[in-house]
Amino acid sequence: MNADASHAADAGTAARPEGAATGRLILLTTSHRVAPGLLSWPAWQALRTADQVLCADPDNPQLPYLREAGVEVEAATPTARELVDYCLPAASPAPSGARTAVVLTSADGESELTDGLARLAGSGRQTMPDLELLPGSYDLPGARLLDLVQVMDRVRAACPWTGIRTHEDLAKYALEETYELVEAIEAGDRAALREELGDVLLQVVFHARIAQDDPDAPFSVDDVAGGIVEKLIHRHPHVFGDETAETPEDVKAHWLRTKAAEKKRESVTDGVPLAQPGLALAAKLASRARTAGIEAVPAGDGIGYELLALAVRAQAAGTDPETALRAAARTYREAIRVAEGLPPEPVTETAVEEGDEEGEAGGAWGGSCASGSREG
């Protein structure tokens, strides 16, 4: 019910003679994201005890289930006046002098009806029945993800550009959107963060939809979600199992044991994505080597080896060299702007004392939390 309808309920109460039985008018709402027929107990009670149940949409997905449950539903589009008159005692043969009507609303709502009810209630001259908005089913957290999957499916089928995209076509966009997300985080821009998270999420859903069309090894977004759910549960035995973890160090120990059992790697470097930025790559390799007790930093001439040695030292000190360099580079950018006579832009302090070791433990979330690694 919209705001006018809520006001109508208040006004109707004010216009009601004290102690009078004035009937009950219920607008029953449902979510298209919840399977039809799965209604709340109060909704079923209202439907079974109502004197009349009406629905303007003959294709409402709830109708077959209501009829199967023995609830008679009349296909009609009553006006506000007709419903009020039906519920009020003057028109009712019921012993109590009042009746209950339930209107099963459509997915688009019933704005004409609710606006009419608001006008009647707001007039101050009309006695109103009790007006009630009753959620028969409602969205759970994450319900809008179903909308995203549905929209992506339609766009893939109907859009000439989207319909022919491949994983290879989209690879560069995944990188671009990830960098934009990092920038929003570093800038401390909450609105941009929300938008960029959506853009990254779109990449996941888009790639999953493309994968669904593969003739040889198809998989869907449900397979992707199922895989990460299984991984999260398996890597958190202290949450979903019998093991205990009182400290982050305990969590890391669980993670290392689980990872070793899962991957059965020949080398500690297996699974490190070589396509990641150079400093992040060096820090990840240094973390793996240090965890395994391996000292093998190569010596050589040139800036590359100097940067490698610096990244290894930073990682050992608990500093993420990639994040540290990005923070320094942002400060450098502002210094350039000042030298150009331009006003400096605010520089958000970025946490750099996270270290890859913390990221390894964070990898229990599916491969990377703090480390920036994209390995599985």
Side-chain angles (χ1 to χ4, degrees):
M1 188 184 297
N2 57 23
D4 287 339
S6 297
H7 174 69
D10 295 337
T13 301
R16 183 180 306 121
E18 184 175 356
T22 55
R24 187 181 178 204
L25 176 56
I26 301 171
L27 300 185
L28 182 63
T29 64
T30 58
S31 171
H32 67 279
R33 304 179 189 95
V34 177
L38 295 179
L39 301 176
S40 65
W41 176 241
W44 280 114
Q45 285 182 309
L47 288 165
R48 289 184 176 280
T49 59
D51 297 293
Q52 188 176 43
V53 179
L54 306 108
C55 181
D57 180 10
D59 297 321
N60 190 302
Q62 301 289 345
L63 294 182
Y65 299 92
L66 298 186
R67 294 188 179 111
E68 186 177 352
V71 177
E72 294 185 11
V73 182
E74 178 181 344
T77 309
T79 65
R81 166 60 66 186
E82 290 171 340
L83 283 171
V84 168
D85 288 345
Y86 175 83
C87 294
L88 291 178
S92 173
S96 63
R99 291 183 291 198
T100 296
V102 174
V103 177
L104 183 61
T105 63
S106 66
D108 297 327
E110 306 294 339
S111 58
E112 185 175 349
L113 173 59
T114 55
D115 289 346
L117 291 170
R119 285 192 296 270
L120 289 175
S123 69
R125 299 185 300 272
Q126 174 66 53
T127 299
M128 297 293 292
D130 290 328
L131 302 180
E132 180 180 349
L133 179 65
L134 179 60
S137 59
Y138 48 87
D139 293 338
L140 297 174
R144 294 308 301 270
L145 292 175
L146 298 176
D147 290 346
L148 175 57
V149 172
Q150 185 179 44
V151 169
M152 185 70 249
D153 190 63
R154 182 172 178 180
V155 171
R156 175 71 171 175
C159 174
W161 186 89
T162 304
I164 61 173
R165 291 307 104 195
T166 65
H167 294 299
E168 291 74 17
D169 293 335
L170 296 183
K172 62 179 180 180
Y173 299 114
L175 286 174
E176 289 174 7
E177 299 299 354
T178 302
Y179 286 135
E180 289 176 8
L181 172 61
V182 171
E183 185 173 352
I185 293 171
E186 292 179 345
D189 188 331
R190 299 290 294 176
L193 175 60
R194 176 179 174 177
E195 179 180 354
E196 299 306 335
L197 283 170
D199 290 341
V200 171
L201 178 59
L202 172 60
Q203 295 301 310
V204 175
V205 175
F206 201 163
H207 277 283
R209 183 58 185 83
I210 293 172
Q212 192 173 325
D213 294 331
D214 189 280
D216 301 318
F219 60 82
S220 69
V221 69
D222 287 326
D223 298 314
V224 174
I228 195 62
V229 167
E230 182 179 347
K231 184 181 290 187
L232 279 169
I233 293 174
H234 185 57
R235 293 188 182 178
H236 289 78
H238 53 290
V239 176
F240 300 99
D242 298 330
E243 295 196 41
T244 59
E246 302 296 335
T247 67
E249 290 73 21
D250 293 338
V251 174
K252 182 188 174 185
H254 285 320
W255 185 88
L256 290 174
R257 288 197 301 270
T258 304
K259 191 89 170 187
E262 283 180 357
K263 299 299 182 180
K264 296 181 175 61
R265 288 170 171 152
E266 181 179 2
S267 167
V268 296
T269 66
D270 291 348
V272 176
L274 300 180
Q276 62 185 303
L279 284 177
L281 173 60
K284 172 60 74 173
L285 291 171
S287 172
R288 290 286 186 86
R290 190 160 61 87
T291 300
I294 299 173
E295 294 288 343
V297 181
D301 297 327
I303 190 65
Y305 286 98
E306 293 177 19
L307 288 172
L308 173 63
L310 188 60
V312 172
R313 290 204 309 271
Q315 195 282 327
T319 296
D320 178 9
E322 181 74 25
T323 304
L325 180 59
R326 286 186 58 80
R330 289 173 69 88
T331 302
Y332 181 34
R333 172 179 178 266
E334 296 311 311
I336 294 173
R337 288 177 58 86
V338 171
E340 293 173 326
L342 299 172
E345 294 181 351
V347 178
T348 302
E349 290 294 330
T350 303
V352 297
E353 302 297 327
E354 295 180 353
D356 198 58
E357 221 173 339
E358 185 72 16
E360 290 280 12
W365 288 93
S368 62
C369 272
S371 68
S373 164
R374 287 167 180 78
E375 63 177 288

